[in-house]
Amino acid sequence: MAWSAAQYAKFEDERTRPARDLLAQVPDLPAGPAFDLGCGPGNSTELILARFPGSLLTGIDSDEDMLSAARTRLPDLRFERGDLAAWTPPAGSALFFANAVFQWLPEHVTLFERLILALAPGGTLAVQMPDNLDEPTHLLMEETAEEPAFAPAFAGRTIRRRSLPSPATYVERLTSKEVRVDVWHTVYYHQLVNANAIVEWVKGTGLRPYLDALPTTQRAGYLAAYAEKIRKAYPAMKNGRVLLRFPRLFIVATRDR
Ligand SMILES: C[S@@+](CC[C@H](N)C(=O)[O-])C[C@H]1O[C@@H](n2cnc3c(N)ncnc32)[C@H](O)[C@@H]1O
């Protein structure tokens, strides 16, 4: 899936808030390299650097457009291209920080187990993932894809991400004698100017695979049909704005010192 740093940046402030909330729960780091996994345009990397200015920080992402935006933003840091499904975490790492990336990797619990094994004593794996597949934003992507005009383009393809495992799964799989695990949900209510802003928001993330699956001639039609449903599902409040409800799951796993 191709990403666009410019589209993603449209709601950067709102998208960065969970990264700030996640970072607030990361304890002080031991010595060792730190990584921002799925660093995107460097917004989460910038936060990590501000909190841990002396750290040996590297951003990893699979998308060149995102990496180029990150390098422009933080020219003194290292940003490397890598696919997290196959990435080998260096042993003795102090931090693996991953804001809004592992929801795209269905086997992520196994990857978390591997990351935890690579932590130095006192090191932390900190993860945030959207848990929003049952929100109207995402249900309506599917509903629009099932309309007769668009269904043939999606036939035989599963675009919907796999739902996240239960919080208990993360606690049970990741906790051990030397690893403490904290899991929680936060539901954000973003006040956006109108329903079209919700469409613009998801165009930077969850809607991309649906648009990518369609022939270019059908994309505008799909977008218009989806936007119409979104306007009904997210009515304007008295002040004209809409509320985007957005549940997110957080995991912080720390190795004892
Ligand atoms: C939603 S953005 C998150 C950006 C940033 N971390 C933040 O806090 O806003 C997700 C990023 O993960 C990257 N990504 C998606 N799948 C990936 C994979 N398998 N390996 C590495 N990066 C991936 C995308 O290119 C994108 O930049």
Side-chain angles (χ1 to χ4, degrees):
M1 175 173 88
W3 288 79
S4 156
Q7 184 69 29
Y8 188 73
K10 283 187 185 165
F11 298 93
E12 189 179 284
D13 201 30
E14 289 88 347
R15 292 193 206 277
T16 307
R17 179 160 166 200
R20 280 190 222 108
D21 294 349
L22 178 62
L23 193 59
Q25 299 308 319
V26 174
D28 287 346
L29 299 182
F35 296 90
D36 185 14
L37 305 178
C39 60
N43 52 326
S44 44
T45 325
E46 196 168 45
L47 285 182
I48 301 168
L49 190 64
R51 164 88 193 273
F52 302 113
S55 64
L56 212 63
L57 182 56
T58 302
I60 308 283
D61 205 285
S62 54
D63 186 88
E64 267 311 326
D65 192 44
M66 288 294 198
L67 286 168
S68 147
R71 288 184 186 118
T72 304
R73 182 178 198 140
L74 297 166
D76 294 335
L77 278 198
R78 276 163 62 108
F79 289 94
E80 290 174 7
R81 189 165 189 180
D83 177 357
L84 295 174
W87 186 70
T88 304
S93 292
L95 175 68
F96 298 116
F97 188 89
N99 187 56
V101 58
F102 276 111
Q103 71 278 8
W104 300 108
L105 291 126
E107 304 305 331
H108 60 246
V109 187
T110 305
L111 301 178
F112 295 168
E113 289 171 330
R114 199 194 301 166
L115 290 169
I116 286 173
L117 283 176
L119 285 174
T124 291
L125 164 69
V127 174
Q128 181 280 124
M129 294 176 284
D131 195 2
N132 57 350
L133 290 183
D134 293 328
E135 295 301 309
T137 43
H138 285 63
L139 294 175
L140 295 174
M141 291 173 193
E142 283 293 302
E143 197 182 291
T144 310
E146 284 161 12
E147 287 187 6
F150 310 113
F154 293 103
R157 312 172 72 161
T158 306
I159 307 285
R160 190 180 150 93
R161 296 192 317 255
R162 206 183 292 170
S163 296
L164 297 183
S166 67
T169 303
Y170 296 108
V171 173
E172 286 174 355
R173 294 264 307 263
L174 306 181
T175 305
S176 68
K177 256 197 339 234
E178 59 279 340
V179 178
R180 283 169 292 118
V181 177
D182 187 12
V183 179
W184 73 97
H185 272 104
T186 297
V187 180
Y188 296 90
Y189 287 89
H190 299 293
Q191 299 180 34
L192 303 186
V193 285
N194 54 34
N196 284 343
I198 297 181
V199 177
E200 284 302 307
W201 176 303
V202 294
K203 261 165 78 179
T205 49
L207 198 59
R208 301 198 62 78
Y210 289 87
L211 294 175
D212 288 348
L214 284 165
T216 39
T217 49
Q218 286 205 304
R219 287 181 190 165
Y222 176 93
L223 214 47
Y226 174 71
E228 184 56 33
K229 291 177 198 289
I230 287 288
R231 277 192 282 279
K232 290 190 183 126
Y234 294 90
M237 298 182 293
K238 281 185 185 147
N239 61 6
R241 297 171 81 88
V242 296
L243 265 192
L244 173 63
R245 194 187 114 95
F246 202 138
R248 294 178 182 268
L249 179 80
F250 294 76
I251 303 165
V252 173
T254 303
R255 266 193 71 176
D256 289 345
R257 285 184 185 263

